[in-house]
Amino acid sequence: MTVYLFDFDGTLVDSTGAVEKALRIAIEKTIPAVIESDLYDEYYKALFLFIKGKLTYQHLGVIHELVAQGTIHEYYKLMPKYIKDFPFARHVVRELRKRGRKVISFSGEHTYPGGKVIFLKKTNWYDEFDDVVTFKGTKDMLHKFETLRELYPEEPFVWIDDSPARFTYILDENTLLVQKASPYKSDVPLLFDRVNFIKIKSIREVLEIDDGLSEFLGDKT
């Protein structure tokens, strides 16, 4: 049995446009005067950095106000409404499970605990997977990956993610690392020297990979 690990944002769904739209609407609904003032860019940037977990000290005052006005809460309420599936994403996941593959959602957590699971449920993605695993950062990602490997010690893994930098830490030879091309993420040149790494343009190509998986990982599928 092959185990597939799918990243969520940027791999199965397009959330970039959703972030931008939800940010603006959240500010408009909670602090409408800011839209027409010189403060808008500062508020937008502070909120963006907050949801990305990259908030700097200089924006703390703005964040306190955004919390007080309910802007952050409004953002997280709006965001799932604007997330869009990439073409064929659900078909690919469903087809893999139909073929008897184990399919796991394996992705980074949002700024607030449990946020990714909430988004998965609100976009009706949660039940598409056999299991959902989230991680907070690189160390946690490695720990969760090793935990999964312990659960499936002999099975080949196929990990699909639009953030190739994560792959640099994985030295498991029984894992095929698949980079989903993204205009927002840079390539990692050293990965192209690995025999267990490939880059794809469309998530639909995962089914082609599954069809010929023995070429990459041996007859363990």
Side-chain angles (χ1 to χ4, degrees):
M1 176 183 66
T2 303
V3 178
Y4 280 82
L5 308 179
F6 279 94
D7 175 52
F8 188 60
D9 296 291
T11 301
L12 293 173
V13 300
D14 182 2
S15 57
T16 302
V19 169
E20 296 172 357
K21 191 168 185 177
L23 281 173
R24 182 172 183 85
I25 294 176
I27 293 173
E28 286 178 348
K29 291 183 70 172
T30 58
I31 319 177
V34 170
I35 294 293
E36 304 298 330
S37 75
D38 294 335
L39 294 172
Y40 175 72
D41 288 343
E42 183 180 354
Y43 276 61
Y44 184 98
K45 184 176 182 180
L47 186 52
F48 178 81
L49 291 172
F50 175 81
I51 64 172
K52 291 295 182 181
K54 298 178 180 179
L55 185 65
T56 58
Y57 180 79
Q58 70 183 91
H59 289 104
L60 284 180
V62 177
I63 288 298
H64 286 314
E65 186 168 349
L66 291 172
V67 171
Q69 298 295 334
T71 312
I72 292 174
H73 174 75
E74 187 66 27
Y75 165 79
Y76 283 115
K77 188 170 71 173
L78 289 167
M79 174 67 171
K81 297 180 182 179
Y82 304 119
I83 292 175
K84 296 180 179 180
D85 294 356
F86 280 122
F88 307 106
R90 288 184 196 259
H91 169 72
V92 168
V93 169
R94 290 171 182 174
E95 177 61 24
L96 289 172
R97 293 182 74 184
K98 197 179 190 179
R99 296 181 184 186
R101 313 316 191 200
K102 177 76 73 173
V103 182
I104 298 173
S105 174
F106 187 65
S107 60
E109 183 58 275
H110 282 296
T111 307
Y112 66 102
K116 181 55 67 72
V117 170
I118 291 173
F119 277 22
L120 284 166
K121 289 183 175 179
K122 286 190 174 182
T123 53
N124 296 316
W125 267 100
Y126 189 85
D127 292 329
E128 299 284 1
F129 303 101
D130 293 299
D131 196 6
V132 172
V133 178
T134 63
F135 50 84
K136 298 176 183 177
T138 301
K139 290 180 68 174
D140 192 38
M141 177 193 77
L142 290 171
H143 173 71
K144 298 286 178 62
F145 182 87
E146 289 303 320
T147 298
L148 286 170
R149 178 48 81 197
E150 289 172 7
L151 289 173
Y152 307 99
E154 303 299 328
E155 289 84 346
F157 282 4
V158 180
W159 181 2
I160 304 99
D161 202 312
D162 71 313
S163 300
R166 292 171 175 168
F167 295 156
T168 61
Y169 303 96
I170 304 300
L171 303 178
D172 187 303
E173 294 182 354
N174 203 22
T175 297
L176 177 62
L177 304 169
V178 181
Q179 176 186 346
K180 163 71 165 49
S182 168
Y184 310 106
K185 303 290 177 66
S186 300
D187 289 343
V188 178
L190 65 86
L191 289 174
F192 289 90
D193 293 329
R194 296 189 184 181
V195 296
N196 64 330
F197 171 81
I198 58 174
K199 181 179 179 180
I200 61 175
K201 293 182 179 179
S202 167
I203 201 68
R204 198 177 189 181
E205 295 175 59
V206 172
L207 294 181
E208 298 173 15
I209 290 171
D210 189 70
D211 289 336
L213 201 56
S214 59
E215 297 178 25
F216 297 100
L217 298 171
D219 297 321
K220 301 177 183 179
T221 60

